[in-house]
Structure formats: structure tokens, C-alpha cells
Amino acid sequence: MTSLLGISRLIDTITEAIGKSVSWLILIAVLVSAGNAVIRKTFNMSSNAWLEAQWYLFGGAFMLAAAYTLRQNEHIRIDVVYGAFSRRVQHWIDLLGHCLFLMPFVALMIYYLVPYVLMSYRNGEVSSSAGGLIIWPAKGILLAGFLLLALQGVSEIIKKIAIMRGDMEDPTPYVPTHAPLDMDTVTDATVGEKRT
């Protein structure tokens, strides 16, 4: 299990480095969008390439950060159901979810995306919009995102098994974000007095 945990740590390190790096793509997408809008309004000029560049940047940030989001345990789940169980049951839910849903879905996407990206690259596929960009890099980003998600899925499965066996501490102890409120302890923020 020690060697598997070493592999998991390596995957986590790679995922974290990529996830934090691609966050800058959002800023670049915003600047491209703003620059495109200013040029369009000021000079009455527009370019499909700039519009498509925004999509590429946003898509790159979204797809390449998906694995990092999984690593941070920030993907959406139904807290009302999940939070009602003990932490051990939550680990089983996560493990089964990763094995039965995440990994088969990611494997299926990779299986279909590899020929999809290769065909686009070989054909030199270009956008059908006038002045548009080449398409294969955007398709390649999809593939890269799912490959990273598959790696992170393997890491999460290793960690879940290690946690359940007692080989490591839980790095993300779950605390329900929507716990029921105790109305006796809620204070009125405007006056700072206890509600009755």
C-alpha cells in the first residue's frame, strides 16, 4: 500500500500544479473578452477567432481543473443524503461512486475522444466560422481533461482504500455545509441579540 500511496501523492502533486496553473486562463479569457468588446464597440470590428479563443480558454480552465476539483473534494454531491451518513459510509459511497460511475464514464470518454482528436488533427480541422481557429487543440483539451480526471480518480480510489484500512488519515474530513440550524443559538446580526 505504501507504493500505491506514493503514486497517489505524485498524481495529487501533478493535479494540483496543473489545477492552480490553469486558473490564470480565466483571467486571460476575461481580458480577451473585454478587449474584443472594446474593439468591436470602438472600431466596429470583430473577429470570430477572438470569440473562439474565449471558448478555448474557458474550456481549458474548466476541463484541466476538473481533476484538481476532485482532489479538493469539491465536486457537487447531494449533501442532504450524503451528510446524513457516518464518515465510514461516506467513504464507501465515494469509493463505489468512483469505481462504478466516475472511472467507467472517464474511460468511455477517453475511448471515444482519442480517435476524435486524432482525426481532427490529421484532417487539420478548422472552425466553420469565417476567420475561426483550428479545432483540434480544443478537442485535445477535452482529452487531456479526461486523462487527468482518470489519473485523479485512481488517486482517490487509492486514498479511499487506504483511509478505510487505517493506512492514512482522512485528508478531507467531511463537514456538512448545510447542517440544520439550532434556532435557539441563532442571533440577529442587525442587533446582535438572541432570537426567541
Side-chain angles (χ1 to χ4, degrees):
M1 188 50 117
T2 305
S3 59
L4 289 175
L5 285 171
I7 292 169
S8 175
R9 280 191 296 275
L10 176 63
I11 292 170
D12 287 352
T13 302
I14 293 168
T15 298
E16 186 164 347
I18 293 171
K20 288 181 177 179
S21 298
V22 299
S23 65
W24 287 99
L25 294 179
I26 298 294
L27 174 62
I28 297 169
V30 168
L31 294 175
V32 167
S33 177
N36 190 32
V38 167
I39 290 170
R40 187 174 63 246
K41 297 293 183 185
T42 306
F43 302 108
N44 199 24
M45 294 170 47
S46 185
S47 168
N48 287 328
W50 286 107
L51 292 172
E52 290 179 8
Q54 294 170 80
W55 302 338
Y56 281 26
L57 291 165
F58 182 75
F62 181 83
M63 287 305 302
L64 298 175
Y68 178 65
T69 305
L70 179 62
R71 183 194 181 286
Q72 296 298 109
N73 198 30
E74 293 292 331
H75 279 283
I76 296 170
R77 64 170 52 92
I78 303 172
D79 289 341
V80 174
V81 175
Y82 188 82
F85 295 110
S86 69
R87 189 63 180 130
R88 181 147 181 88
V89 173
Q90 290 173 354
H91 286 308
W92 274 107
I93 291 170
D94 289 341
L95 180 61
L96 292 173
H98 293 331
C99 292
L100 300 177
F101 298 104
L102 174 68
M103 296 308 288
F105 172 71
V106 168
L108 186 67
M109 291 304 297
I110 292 169
Y111 176 79
Y112 282 111
L113 280 170
V114 168
Y116 183 66
V117 173
L118 288 175
M119 186 173 63
S120 180
Y121 175 75
R122 287 181 188 137
N123 294 337
E125 189 177 2
V126 179
S127 171
S128 58
S129 301
L133 300 175
I134 53 175
I135 298 291
W136 68 263
K139 292 180 178 180
I141 288 170
L142 281 172
L143 178 58
F146 279 106
L147 287 169
L148 285 171
L149 197 54
L151 283 174
Q152 191 60 43
V154 169
S155 175
E156 294 303 312
I157 289 168
I158 292 169
K159 288 186 287 190
K160 287 296 171 190
I161 292 170
I163 290 167
M164 292 164 65
R165 287 176 37 137
D167 293 336
M168 72 176 281
E169 291 292 318
D170 187 356
T172 54
Y174 180 75
V175 178
T177 55
H178 303 292
L181 293 176
D182 180 3
M183 293 309 290
D184 292 334
T185 61
V186 175
T187 59
D188 189 342
T190 56
V191 294
E193 295 176 0
K194 192 173 179 179
R195 290 183 186 170
T196 57

